Amino acid sequence: MTSAPGTDGARTGWPDVAVVADHVGVEHLVVTRHALVRQVLADPVTYRPDNALDAVTPVPVAALRVLAEHRFRLPPTLANNAGASHPAIRAIVADALHPSRVEAQRQWLTGVVRRRAAGIAAALAVGGEVDLHAEVAADLPLLALARLVELPDAPVGVVKDFARAALELFWAPVDADRQRVLAAEVGRFHLVLREFAATGGGLVARLRAAGHPPDVVVGALFFLLVAGQETTSQFLTLLLHRLAGHPGVVAGLRRGEVSVADVVEEGLRLEPPIVTWRRVATTGTRLGSTVVPAGSSVVLWLGRAGRDPAVVAHPDDLVPGQRGSRRHLAFGVGAHRCVGAQLARMEAGVVVEEVAPLLSGATVVRAPWYPDNLTFRMPDAFVIRRPR
């Protein structure tokens, strides 16, 4: 299991729970059935999130030294926190991303996307090639997040490089030389976060005022910059790519016969921002008919759970509004449900409404490609062209 198992649903023939060894020989229980994935996510006592941010490739001493030189730490804060501090930290972050605050950004975001869409339309009209990942998806979630939580003043490219380096360092099969390079990149930006955590306003000021120590403030920032924007960038790119293969849905959107919200939810089901997520069993238990020994690493295949034929009638097809579409687990459930769910939905809705019509009559020149990674997909481009 060197990478995310993918999102091919009913065709894979996977059992409900499978024992799979990863690229370094560690065994994991991969859970595929929607009901069982939900059961694990909803039970943070039996299945703790302690291993959520553990590196899937053990970090060698040389790379650990690089991280230590930059004072890098990831204490339990959000996704990896099952302790007593989690509710208070989560409440502060959730308030910053409250649905009313998110909705207040819609007009600004629509203006940004509409201006970009006009430029894309002009380029396509003269036969030009357009990379929708670069022009729409790559930076948009970061810009929106920065307005909501007052992120550190750093160039967009630098933040994006840091986030992608972190995703590779902690969730990808990488060799020791590459780990040292990634550790240096992650470590350098971690110092920027540490400085900002000591003086910044907005979210970090509220975390400080609540008495949370510097490492916790930095950890919350780290997670937001990785999960709060990079995942949405990836989702937007993959959703647009999927829509490009469904001209009937695009036409339905243009005519108002297909709901934007239904397209977003069906996209989340088929192309979840996070393909897998991890838990560790705290005690011996069972998942369905499978015995789960204490200490087991449990990999929840969210992409497969969204295609469970017990939940949706057309598990592998984009059918906006089909029964069961909104039962996907793209944002998790329970105590660790994604606090940025409404933000991701709002961003996706604006992009679908403003950009999806441009896919009508377009040809895919270059489909998204992404490297091996257990949990995340990092598309590099999505290029389209329309015949003149």
Side-chain angles (χ1 to χ4, degrees):
M1 189 173 64
T2 59
S3 63
T7 53
D8 289 338
R11 294 192 302 270
T12 63
W14 279 65
D16 293 356
V17 182
V19 179
V20 179
D22 65 18
H23 63 294
V24 295
V26 176
E27 289 190 342
H28 308 265
L29 293 177
V30 178
V31 185
T32 68
R33 181 66 64 184
H34 181 280
L36 296 180
V37 171
R38 184 180 179 86
Q39 176 184 330
V40 173
L41 289 171
D43 184 359
V45 175
T46 305
Y47 303 98
R48 288 173 62 97
D50 301 4
N51 62 343
L53 306 187
D54 289 353
V56 300
T57 302
V59 181
V61 173
L64 287 174
R65 288 198 187 106
V66 172
L67 292 173
E69 289 169 1
H70 292 90
R71 299 165 59 200
F72 181 88
R73 289 192 64 225
L74 274 182
T77 51
L78 291 167
N80 63 338
N81 190 356
S85 64
H86 177 254
I89 299 170
R90 179 183 172 87
I92 294 173
V93 176
D95 181 65
L97 301 178
H98 191 275
S100 63
R101 295 176 184 266
V102 168
E103 188 59 31
Q105 299 299 319
R106 183 182 293 274
Q107 183 176 357
W108 164 81
L109 186 70
T110 300
V112 172
V113 176
R114 191 167 289 170
R115 287 190 293 273
R116 294 187 182 189
I120 293 168
L124 292 174
V126 296
E129 295 183 356
V130 178
D131 182 353
L132 293 182
H133 173 71
E135 297 297 329
V136 177
D139 66 337
L140 206 63
L142 176 59
L143 297 177
L145 185 66
R147 289 171 63 93
L148 285 165
V149 303
E150 300 182 33
L151 292 175
D153 186 15
V156 168
V158 172
V159 179
K160 298 294 289 186
D161 287 345
F162 150 73
R164 292 173 74 90
L167 296 185
E168 186 178 354
L169 178 62
F170 291 104
W171 285 279
V174 285
D175 61 33
D177 290 340
R178 180 62 178 162
Q179 283 173 305
R180 285 196 294 273
V181 172
L182 294 169
E185 187 164 356
V186 170
R188 282 193 298 270
F189 197 79
H190 195 264
L191 286 179
V192 174
L193 294 181
R194 188 170 291 278
E195 293 170 5
F196 178 75
T199 60
L203 173 66
V204 299
R206 291 192 287 276
L207 287 168
R208 286 199 312 269
H212 295 292
D215 281 341
V216 167
V217 179
V218 174
L221 277 174
F222 179 94
F223 186 73
L224 277 174
L225 283 171
V226 172
Q229 57 86 23
E230 188 61 36
T231 53
T232 308
S233 290
Q234 297 167 21
F235 170 60
L236 294 177
T237 299
L238 297 173
L239 175 57
L240 289 172
H241 176 239
R242 182 165 286 276
L243 283 170
H246 290 79
V249 174
V250 173
L253 282 165
R254 290 176 67 110
R255 294 192 298 264
E257 298 168 356
V258 175
S259 160
V260 169
D262 284 346
V263 169
V264 171
E265 295 304 318
E266 188 73 340
L268 288 165
R269 181 183 73 80
L270 288 165
E271 304 286 0
I274 294 175
V275 180
T276 69
W277 204 238
R278 286 175 290 170
R279 290 289 188 266
V280 60
T282 60
T283 185
T285 185
R286 300 182 73 91
L287 271 176
S289 61
T290 301
V291 174
V292 180
S296 296
S297 169
V298 180
V299 176
L300 306 172
W301 190 353
L302 304 179
R304 172 63 181 87
R307 298 178 182 224
D308 190 334
V311 176
V312 289
H314 306 282
D316 294 323
D317 300 326
L318 182 73
V319 185
Q322 70 167 307
R323 182 183 59 80
S325 177
R326 293 172 181 256
R327 290 179 58 194
H328 62 76
L329 301 172
F331 298 121
V333 295
H336 287 85
R337 187 178 185 277
C338 176
V339 293
Q342 286 303 108
L343 177 59
R345 282 188 167 105
M346 188 272 283
E347 291 167 341
V350 170
V351 167
V352 167
E353 190 159 11
E354 302 294 334
V355 179
L358 303 177
L359 297 170
S360 180
T363 299
V364 176
V365 177
R366 188 172 185 278
W369 174 88
Y370 34 88
D372 282 353
N373 196 288
L374 174 66
T375 294
F376 302 93
R377 291 167 294 172
M378 296 182 281
D380 59 340
F382 172 39
V383 182
I384 65 170
R385 180 183 60 216
R386 184 181 297 133
R388 295 184 63 177

